[in-house]
Amino acid sequence: MDQTDWKLLKEIAALEKTPQGAYNIRRNGALDSRFSTAHIKIVTKTEPGKQGIDIHIKPGTKGESVHIPVIITQSGLSEVVYNDFYVGENADVDIIAGCGIHNTGCETAQHDGVHTFYIGKNAKVRYVERHYGEGEGTGKRIMNPETVVYLEEGASMEMETTQIRGVDSTRRNTRVEAGAGAEIVIVEKLLTHGAQVAESKMDVQLNGAGASGRVVSRSVAQDDSVQMFYPNIEGNAQCFGHVQCDAIIMGKAKIKAIPAIVANDLDAQLIHEAAIGRIAGEQLIKLMTLGLTEQEAEDKILNGFLQ
């Protein structure tokens, strides 16, 4: 891998060298490198017509991580990849994914990733996914992630997904089914600029007694970009759910947020809230009195908002 590859890996997975633990690095539509551990096995899919990997995490695995970044530097490359995660009972692991595209050509570079998680009883997963695009070419950089999560009894998942910048178009679909006592926390952070378009749909089904779900969306839309959010939590048993959408709008951007909650059980407790607005003038003034320029103050506020 060259300097550009490592720059992308640093942006999407904080990698400056080969990661510790299990990993699978995909580069320009093919396997670049892979390593499995005694407790985490990564294998190439054998199902006809599907590219991707299966990740098997043994029951009781603790304190281990899996890195599965994807990088594309080839203009004109378009791929759909299917990754399935099988997390055994009582495991406690970190999974770091993400896609970076460096496009210097005139053709579109596109990565569509479908990640499906089967999380066993009382297992815990922390999942981080970052998307980033760059390159001086006129070709678009497109990423369409789809994430499906099945949580068994007492299982939990913390999911943090971030679109840093440089992605011309994204359609993000997330679906979760939570069993009894299961917990899902989703934090999505999006930045769009220029004429970029981002659409995010989330559907969280709280099916078991004592299940809980929280969805937090934070976004910044700049220039002429457009964002659309459709988060939904459905309570089908005694459960708790909370949807929160916060967005900052700038320039001539447009943002649509339509949170939804559906109660199908008398003991389902569900809450939703949404707020869209510009940067408060008093915030800028306060920082500028400390010696920052208006642009520096604006950047500081945005960085803090998307942390």
Side-chain angles (χ1 to χ4, degrees):
M1 291 191 289
D2 60 20
Q3 185 176 359
T4 299
D5 297 328
W6 282 109
K7 182 179 184 297
L8 291 175
L9 287 172
K10 185 176 181 180
E11 290 284 357
I12 64 173
L15 291 177
E16 297 185 22
K17 59 181 181 180
T18 301
Q20 297 292 316
Y23 66 86
N24 187 97
I25 298 176
R26 184 177 180 89
R27 178 178 179 270
N28 288 331
L31 172 65
D32 179 86
S33 56
R34 174 185 297 166
F35 182 76
S36 296
T37 69
H39 301 110
I40 301 176
K41 185 177 182 181
I42 304 175
V43 296
T44 300
K45 273 194 173 301
T46 57
E47 186 176 348
K50 281 191 174 183
Q51 298 186 76
I53 54 178
D54 291 333
I55 300 96
H56 297 269
I57 300 173
K58 290 184 177 181
T61 300
K62 306 285 186 181
E64 293 198 35
S65 64
V66 188
H67 287 78
I68 55 162
V70 174
I71 54 176
I72 296 175
T73 58
Q74 180 180 325
S75 187
L77 176 65
S78 179
E79 63 175 2
V80 180
V81 177
Y82 299 84
N83 297 331
D84 291 349
F85 302 80
Y86 301 89
V87 183
E89 293 185 5
N90 297 303
D92 189 342
V93 296
D94 296 336
I95 300 174
I96 300 92
C99 178
I101 295 178
H102 179 86
N103 191 355
T104 58
C106 59
E107 297 180 274
T108 294
Q110 179 170 339
H111 174 79
D112 295 353
V114 182
H115 289 182
T116 304
F117 295 83
Y118 303 90
I119 303 178
K121 186 176 179 180
N122 296 322
K124 296 181 180 180
V125 173
R126 286 164 299 280
Y127 177 63
V128 178
E129 180 182 271
R130 295 167 65 86
H131 289 166
Y132 171 73
E134 64 175 27
E136 300 302 322
T138 58
K140 291 186 177 181
R141 300 169 292 270
I142 298 176
M143 303 180 197
N144 297 316
E146 180 177 343
T147 307
V148 182
V149 181
Y150 299 99
L151 292 164
E152 293 187 16
E153 181 182 351
S156 66
M157 185 176 194
E158 297 178 12
M159 182 189 308
E160 180 181 308
T161 62
T162 305
Q163 181 169 296
I164 306 168
R165 65 168 45 249
V167 180
D168 293 295
S169 174
T170 184
R171 289 183 177 177
R172 312 169 66 88
N173 289 301
T174 304
R175 181 164 58 88
V176 179
E177 294 188 12
E183 180 184 17
I184 180 71
V185 177
I186 303 172
V187 178
E188 180 180 72
K189 295 177 283 188
L190 289 178
L191 171 65
T192 56
H193 52 92
Q196 296 172 354
V197 177
E199 178 182 272
S200 177
K201 295 181 179 180
M202 297 185 190
D203 180 36
V204 177
Q205 299 288 319
L206 302 177
N207 296 327
S212 66
R214 185 183 180 200
V215 173
V216 178
S217 172
R218 292 181 179 174
S219 72
V220 175
Q222 299 175 322
D223 305 320
D224 295 300
S225 64
V226 177
Q227 298 181 1
M228 295 160 285
F229 298 94
Y230 305 96
N232 172 71
I233 289 185
E234 191 163 330
N236 301 313
Q238 177 270 317
C239 61
F240 175 79
H242 183 203
V243 179
Q244 178 182 340
C245 298
D246 294 316
I248 292 176
I249 188 168
M250 305 173 68
K252 297 181 180 180
K254 297 179 180 180
I255 300 175
K256 178 190 292 185
I258 307 177
I261 51 177
V262 179
N264 295 320
D265 188 278
L266 182 65
D267 294 317
Q269 182 181 355
L270 307 175
I271 304 168
H272 81 69
E273 51 189 315
I276 301 172
R278 61 191 298 176
I279 295 176
E282 59 267 26
Q283 291 178 300
L284 288 173
I285 293 171
K286 183 176 180 179
L287 289 174
M288 291 171 68
T289 60
L290 299 176
L292 298 182
T293 66
E294 182 175 355
Q295 184 62 53
E296 289 171 338
E298 187 176 278
D299 290 343
K300 193 171 188 65
I301 292 169
L302 296 181
N303 289 335
F305 180 74
L306 292 173
Q307 285 297 317

